[in-house]
């Protein structure tokens, strides 16, 4: 009876807390030989039309220079492009950032505010911005709260090694604060043009 009650509670929570912060907490127990995930912290994946989870975090670069706290709710009334990437100054992430840098003008013409987000520190972001002359700010999510809220903190597998990391994903958020478009597992070299075309079709 207890197991059935917990199951029913999990189902109800998943339906009613769609955009609740995703948690890495787990209930360690035997479930087919693997840890049992705490389903009370497992909301449904975000989809277009959902209200984007709000957050407050340190942004560096652009108008924020060496670092200021920004909140997504500060940008109500504007279009926001949030692009999540795994790590500063790695080949794929550099190609993606430089592609946005080189095609930044169309984003401005579309009235879009661009933020890159990774779990790197503000200091790492500052070096990345300076090295590649990036015109847009980067947000530091060292506590991994934003990547979990947006459902992009995922299990990865490389050369047989399983680990948790950030899925390369982009969310376009409309002036009403709702998600208009989602691009998952994007290719770094094609990313900028893909998002630009999406903005032009709004």
């Amino acid at each position: 009876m207890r197991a059935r009650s917990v199951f029913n509670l999990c189902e109800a929570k998943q339906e009613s807390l769609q955009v609740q912060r995703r948690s890495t907490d787990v209930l360690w127990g035997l479930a087919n030989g693997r840890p049992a995930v705490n389903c009370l912290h497992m909301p449904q994946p975000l989809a277009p039309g959902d209200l984007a989870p709000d957050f407050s975090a340190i942004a560096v670069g652009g108008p924020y220079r060496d670092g200021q706290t920004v909140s997504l709710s500060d940008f109500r009334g504007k279009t926001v492009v949030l692009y999540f990437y795994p790590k500063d100054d790695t080949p794929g992430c550099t190609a993606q950032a430089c592609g946005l840098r080189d095609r930044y003008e169309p984003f401005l013409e579309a009235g879009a505010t661009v933020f890159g987000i990774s779990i790197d520190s503000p200091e790492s972001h500052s070096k990345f911005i300076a090295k590649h002359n990036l015109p847009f700010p980067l947000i530091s999510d060292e506590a991994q709260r934003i990547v979990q809220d947006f459902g992009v903190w995922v299990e990865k597998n490389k050369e047989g090694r399983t680990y948790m990391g950030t899925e390369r994903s982009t969310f376009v958020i409309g002036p009403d604060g709702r998600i208009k478009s989602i691009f998952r597992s994007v290719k770094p070299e094609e990313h900028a043009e893909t998002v630009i075309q999406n903005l032009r079709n709004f």
Side-chain angles (χ1 to χ4, degrees), residues 81 83 89 91-108 114-116 127-138 188-193 195-196:
V81 174
Y83 87 92
D89 213 23
C93 298
T94 299
Q96 183 178 16
C98 290
L100 287 165
R101 176 199 64 195
D102 296 342
R103 295 285 285 136
Y104 193 49
E105 191 63 31
F107 286 90
L108 297 179
V114 178
F115 287 100
K127 293 176 181 177
F128 189 34
I129 289 168
K131 182 176 180 179
H132 298 287
N133 195 30
L134 304 181
F136 48 84
L138 301 178
E189 299 81 3
E190 301 173 3
H191 175 241
E193 195 59 37
V195 180
I196 289 169

Side-chain angles (χ1 to χ4, degrees), residues 47-95:
D50 289 344
L51 191 66
D54 195 17
F55 60 81
S56 292
I58 297 295
V60 298
Y64 306 104
R65 299 185 180 181
D66 294 330
Q68 296 179 38
T69 299
V70 298
S71 298
L72 182 58
S73 56
D74 295 338
F75 296 89
R76 283 295 179 90
K78 299 180 180 179
T79 298
V80 178
V81 174
L82 297 180
Y83 87 92
F84 293 85
Y85 65 96
K87 188 172 178 59
D88 287 340
D89 213 23
T90 52
C93 298
T94 299

Side-chain angles (χ1 to χ4, degrees), residues 143-163:
Q144 301 169 13
R145 291 178 181 272
I146 308 173
V147 291
Q148 291 186 53
D149 282 352
F150 279 81
V152 298
W153 188 246
V154 300
E155 184 177 277
K156 295 184 172 184
N157 189 297
K158 183 177 182 180
E159 299 177 350
R161 182 174 67 91
T162 300
Y163 62 98

